[in-house]
């Protein structure tokens, strides 16, 4: 059995993550245009028409911009919870009923040897949720767009082989930056996004013996930088007694360049 993934795009401008097994493949979100999504698939030598479905996390445009376009063009199933369906229905265009599927929060769907578990996060969307992919002994966690990481979330995501983990902003850059205070307050709130430091503290509590790779995701273009995020997370993990580069490594993600297709 194999479980592979690529972070096709991650950031304020659009998000999409590809996950495949020997027999199934899924896209978590499609937050870029149809043409951009197709170009990203080409870069990892894959085709959207082979997908078994698109798993939607929430209705914000940087996660659903290309969902309707891809679904209509390639006749793909879309999975989302009921509240998210209602929120995004008018945003993704008309999708045939037979391509609409419910995937409620805190449930598991099984596709062959792959179990996909949904779990709720704290974000200013109607019912945001992310996903854990389990195949055999392998575990891949996707968690971005959350203002904090609760104990319940930690219990669900702990000891994954691979984490794709939000590290959205540097608090000082955000506070000193150009955003209006209303937006700064929203980002810093419990329904906003986690900072580099807060993400690292949460990571330190969920990293386990199985953990080998952590991908820092959904970095703000205006309030973060790859080097800064990596350094801040590494320093905080060290301070929490968890060393980077020994048991596990940190990796960057990019708004436009996919990570290599990698085995979990």
């Amino acid at each position: 059995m194999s479980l592979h993934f690529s972070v096709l795009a991650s950031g304020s401008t659009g998000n999409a993550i590809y996950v495949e097994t020997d027999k199934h493949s899924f896209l978590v979100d499609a937050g870029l245009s149809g043409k951009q999504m197709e170009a990203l698939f080409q870069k990892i030598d894959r085709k959207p028409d082979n997908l078994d479905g698109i798993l939607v996390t929430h209705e914000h445009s940087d996660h659903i911009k290309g969902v309707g376009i891809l679904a209509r063009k390639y006749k793909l199933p879309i999975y989302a919870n009921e509240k998210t369906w209602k929120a995004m229905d008018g945003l993704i265009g008309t999708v045939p009923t037979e391509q609409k599927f419910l995937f409620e929060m805190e449930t598991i769907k099984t596709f062959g040897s792959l179990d996909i578990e949904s779990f709720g996060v704290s974000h200013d969307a109607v019912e945001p949720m992310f996903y854990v992919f389990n195949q055999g002994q392998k575990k891949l966690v996707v968690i971005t767009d959350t203002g904090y990481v609760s104990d319940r979330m930690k219990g669900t995501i702990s000891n994954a082989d691979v984490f794709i983990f939000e590290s959205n902003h540097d608090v000082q850059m955000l506070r000193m930056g150009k955003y209006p205070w209303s937006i700064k307050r929203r980002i810093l709130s419990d329904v906003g996004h986690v900072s580099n430091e807060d993400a690292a503290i949460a990571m330190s509590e969920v990293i386990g013996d199985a953990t080998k790779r952590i991908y820092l995701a959904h970095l703000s273009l205006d309030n973060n930088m790859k080097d800064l995020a990596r350094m801040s997370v590494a320093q905080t993990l060290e301070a929490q007694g968890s060393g980077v580069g020994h048991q596990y490594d940190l990796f960057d993600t990019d708004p436009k360049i996919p990570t290599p297709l990698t085995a979990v």
Side-chain angles (χ1 to χ4, degrees), residues 28-100:
V28 179
D29 292 334
L32 297 91
S33 71
K35 286 186 177 179
Q36 288 174 308
M37 289 301 310
E38 289 172 335
L40 291 169
F41 269 89
Q42 284 186 343
K43 289 179 180 178
I44 63 165
D45 196 27
R46 293 295 186 269
K47 296 180 179 179
D49 53 0
N50 291 328
L51 288 169
D52 289 283
I54 302 173
L55 306 168
V56 178
T57 63
H58 62 293
E59 72 276 11
H60 289 169
S61 61
D62 59 326
H63 294 261
I64 65 166
K65 185 175 182 179
V67 167
I69 299 163
L70 291 179
R72 284 186 292 275
K73 183 171 182 179
Y74 298 104
K75 296 182 172 54
L76 302 176
I78 303 172
Y79 295 87
N81 63 52
E82 187 172 3
K83 289 183 179 179
T84 298
W85 264 119
K86 289 178 180 176
M88 73 175 179
D89 225 7
L91 303 174
I92 64 172
T94 303
V95 175
T97 303
E98 61 270 20
Q99 291 174 235
K100 294 182 175 182

Side-chain angles (χ1 to χ4, degrees), residues 10-259:
S10 185
S12 311
T13 54
N15 298 273
I17 296 166
Y18 174 78
V19 180
E20 71 172 22
T21 67
D22 294 334
K23 296 183 178 180
H24 298 282
S25 61
F26 290 91
L27 188 63
V28 179
D29 292 334
L32 297 91
S33 71
K35 286 186 177 179
Q36 288 174 308
M37 289 301 310
E38 289 172 335
L40 291 169
F41 269 89
Q42 284 186 343
K43 289 179 180 178
I44 63 165
D45 196 27
R46 293 295 186 269
K47 296 180 179 179
D49 53 0
N50 291 328
L51 288 169
D52 289 283
I54 302 173
L55 306 168
V56 178
T57 63
H58 62 293
E59 72 276 11
H60 289 169
S61 61
D62 59 326
H63 294 261
I64 65 166
K65 185 175 182 179
V67 167
I69 299 163
L70 291 179
R72 284 186 292 275
K73 183 171 182 179
Y74 298 104
K75 296 182 172 54
L76 302 176
I78 303 172
Y79 295 87
N81 63 52
E82 187 172 3
K83 289 183 179 179
T84 298
W85 264 119
K86 289 178 180 176
M88 73 175 179
D89 225 7
L91 303 174
I92 64 172
T94 303
V95 175
T97 303
E98 61 270 20
Q99 291 174 235
K100 294 182 175 182
F101 292 85
L102 283 178
F103 196 152
E104 294 297 354
M105 188 184 293
E106 316 293 348
T107 62
I108 297 173
K109 286 191 179 295
T110 299
F111 302 87
S113 60
L114 178 66
D115 291 331
I116 306 175
E117 180 178 2
S118 61
F119 64 97
V121 296
S122 180
H123 195 53
D124 56 352
V126 292
E127 195 163 80
M129 66 184 195
F130 280 80
Y131 299 97
V132 179
F133 296 84
N134 284 287
Q135 190 190 42
Q137 300 301 310
K138 297 297 184 180
K139 180 175 180 178
L140 166 66
V141 164
V142 180
I143 177 168
T144 68
D145 297 76
T146 189
Y148 69 99
V149 183
S150 68
D151 289 341
R152 176 182 50 79
M153 295 181 218
K154 291 170 188 171
T156 301
I157 69 176
S158 65
N159 198 29
D161 296 81
V162 175
F163 289 98
I164 299 169
F165 213 112
E166 174 165 67
S167 190
N168 178 256
H169 61 275
D170 174 80
V171 173
Q172 198 61 28
M173 282 185 71
L174 176 62
R175 289 187 182 279
M176 300 296 291
K178 63 183 180 181
Y179 286 6
W181 174 241
S182 60
I183 295 178
K184 293 179 182 180
R185 188 170 57 208
R186 175 237 166 199
I187 294 170
L188 291 165
S189 77
D190 280 353
V191 291
H193 295 274
V194 290
S195 67
N196 296 332
E197 290 78 12
D198 286 345
I201 291 170
M203 288 177 206
S204 72
E205 296 176 2
V206 297
I207 290 166
D209 292 340
T211 305
K212 297 294 183 288
R213 305 166 80 89
I214 300 173
Y215 288 76
L216 303 183
H218 213 302
L219 272 66
S220 168
L221 288 176
D222 296 312
N223 303 305
N224 213 347
M225 296 178 288
K226 289 180 184 178
D227 289 345
L228 176 60
R230 209 179 324 108
M231 180 183 70
S232 298
V233 168
Q235 286 180 346
T236 304
L237 285 170
E238 291 280 359
Q240 297 291 318
S242 178
V244 178
H246 308 303
Q247 177 192 334
Y248 59 88
D249 292 300
L250 296 178
F251 296 88
D252 296 323
T253 61
D254 192 86
K256 296 179 181 178
I257 303 170
T259 63

